Amino acid sequence: MPAKRHPDHAPLELERFLPYQLSIVSNTVSQAIADDYQARHDLSVTEWRVMAVLARFDGLSAREVAERTAMDKVAVSRALARLVAAGRVRRHIHASDKRRSVLGLTAAGWRIHDEVAPMARQRERDLLARLEPEEQAWLRGILDKLMPPDTAGQTAAKG
Amino acid sequence: MPAKRHPDHAPLELERFLPYQLSIVSNTVSQAIADDYQARHDLSVTEWRVMAVLARFDGLSAREVAERTAMDKVAVSRALARLVAAGRVRRHIHASDKRRSVLGLTAAGWRIHDEVAPMARQRERDLLARLEPEEQAWLRGILDKLMPPDTAGQTAAKG
DNA sequence: CATTTATAGTTTCACTTGAAACCATTTGCA
DNA sequence: TGCAAATGGTTTCAAGTGAAACTATAAATG
């Protein structure tokens, strides 16, 4: 019985399936931002995220960076190795705990940050520009709700 | 003047930066779905996506699968090799174009599909359950708008 | 109809990635 | 104190990935 269609199987309509849509939209916009800096500064997505976090929270340890970027610690370790080698991040050892590193952007790191951050913001605006103001507001609220609690707005690192 | 903070640098607030939030939310939910089938069926994310597309559009070629999943053709080729070897996908050669393959799920493929698809739908419901009905409706509309046109709802494959 | 050009799909190669193992240091606790 | 367990971070290894090269077939062009 060579049935051509299988309506009884209820296949997913991928293009209206939320996790799929999220993945496509997210990848598209992240890639657009990455294109802005990748070639230009020889900077990977991972490295940029580390820099963005250090721009906001000076003096974090590698583990804290991993926590805030939701990346695994191996990825962070490697990104840091490259960033330190390139002179974009400064790393020294914590005064009272010799295992921990204390991280921050160097002047060169800040220069790159100050060039890339506005481009990233522009991409965010481009994305929002495709929505009505009302939709923009809803999207913000919705994403705030959907963010897993451990990555969402914690208090800033103290100096 | 050893400034401790750099307010003049206007660092991104990652946790309120849309592309970043999208990436986190998307990865979290995709991972949750993957956890449901990965170990259970020895099935990679790529493979599952190929199966989901074939469940919906029987008889596609490998290139068409790549188009619909927004994955590159190398990834699709490898996923298909594994799926065919595992007896989950049937592949034969197009009658009038010997380069093209004609793909579809086997009975075994359908069995897996029919087990995984409801779990995926459940995860989608779990995600939506964290939002008010009003927010759910807005989110659907917003994502439909943000989907790049080439991946969004095309017409079904012709027989 | 012969030859160039395009297309479907696979293979190769260099690179990335994450899990597990590892090293050093610190903390918990008998 | 001294020793086991936990923690911060790096290295190793095996698997996954994409770009480019490649094979085979089809379409376009003279």
Side-chain angles (χ1 to χ4, degrees):
Chain A
M1 168 255 220
K4 191 179 218 157
R5 265 306 151 81
H6 304 263
D8 47 318
H9 285 298
L12 291 177
E13 287 184 48
L14 273 192
E15 66 278 11
R16 311 211 52 244
F17 183 57
L18 280 177
Y20 175 75
Q21 290 184 308
L22 281 170
S23 155
I24 300 283
V25 171
S26 168
N27 288 343
T28 306
V29 57
S30 286
Q31 194 52 57
I33 297 175
D35 290 346
D36 285 339
Y37 58 71
Q38 217 139 36
R40 205 180 172 72
H41 292 295
D42 184 29
L43 195 65
S44 76
V45 174
T46 312
E47 284 161 33
W48 165 246
R49 287 203 174 160
V50 169
M51 289 186 63
V53 164
L54 290 180
R56 204 151 126 60
F57 305 106
D58 193 59
L60 293 187
S61 71
R63 197 192 57 78
E64 290 166 327
V65 169
E67 214 167 77
R68 286 193 175 275
T69 51
M71 306 188 312
D72 84 51
K73 64 178 187 165
V74 178
V76 170
S77 170
R78 279 193 270 243
L80 282 171
R82 280 206 59 189
L83 289 169
V84 169
R88 293 165 176 182
V89 165
R90 146 190 53 77
R91 162 162 57 187
H92 46 87
I93 291 174
H94 192 280
S96 65
D97 183 344
K98 289 176 199 161
R99 295 169 309 176
R100 301 176 55 119
S101 37
V102 177
L103 303 161
L105 295 183
T106 63
W110 277 113
R111 272 196 298 280
I112 293 177
H113 172 272
D114 291 351
E115 191 183 328
V116 173
M119 298 196 296
R121 269 191 260 268
Q122 182 58 49
R123 293 292 186 175
E124 183 185 39
R125 276 194 296 272
D126 294 346
L127 186 78
L128 285 172
R130 295 160 56 193
L131 300 176
E132 305 302 324
E134 206 179 5
E135 293 171 319
Q136 298 178 15
W138 279 103
L139 180 57
R140 291 223 169 268
I142 290 166
L143 283 179
D144 285 346
K145 268 196 172 180
L146 293 182
M147 283 284 280
D150 52 311
T151 46
Q154 286 141 323
T155 49
K158 313 309 178 315
Chain B
M1 168 253 215
K4 189 178 220 160
R5 265 307 153 81
H6 304 263
D8 47 318
H9 285 298
L12 291 176
E13 287 183 49
L14 272 192
E15 66 277 12
R16 309 211 56 244
F17 183 56
L18 280 178
Y20 176 76
Q21 290 183 308
L22 280 171
S23 155
I24 300 283
V25 172
S26 167
N27 288 343
T28 306
V29 58
S30 286
Q31 195 52 56
I33 297 175
D35 289 346
D36 285 339
Y37 59 70
Q38 218 139 35
R40 204 179 172 72
H41 293 293
D42 184 28
L43 196 64
S44 75
V45 174
T46 312
E47 284 161 34
W48 166 245
R49 287 202 172 162
V50 169
M51 290 186 64
V53 164
L54 290 179
R56 203 151 126 59
F57 305 107
D58 193 58
L60 293 187
S61 70
R63 196 192 57 78
E64 290 167 327
V65 170
E67 215 167 74
R68 286 193 175 277
T69 51
M71 308 189 311
D72 84 50
K73 64 177 185 164
V74 178
V76 170
S77 171
R78 279 192 271 244
L80 283 171
R82 280 206 60 190
L83 289 169
V84 170
R88 293 164 176 182
V89 165
R90 145 190 54 76
R91 162 161 56 186
H92 46 86
I93 290 175
H94 193 279
S96 65
D97 182 343
K98 290 175 198 160
R99 294 169 308 178
R100 299 175 57 119
S101 37
V102 178
L103 303 161
L105 296 183
T106 62
W110 277 113
R111 272 196 297 281
I112 293 177
H113 172 272
D114 291 351
E115 191 183 328
V116 174
M119 297 196 297
R121 270 191 259 270
Q122 183 58 50
R123 293 293 185 175
E124 183 185 40
R125 277 193 295 273
D126 292 347
L127 186 77
L128 285 171
R130 294 160 57 192
L131 301 175
E132 306 301 327
E134 207 180 3
E135 292 171 318
Q136 299 179 15
W138 280 103
L139 179 58
R140 291 223 169 267
I142 290 166
L143 282 179
D144 286 345
K145 267 197 173 180
L146 293 183
M147 283 284 279
D150 52 311
T151 45
Q154 285 141 324
T155 49
K158 315 310 177 316

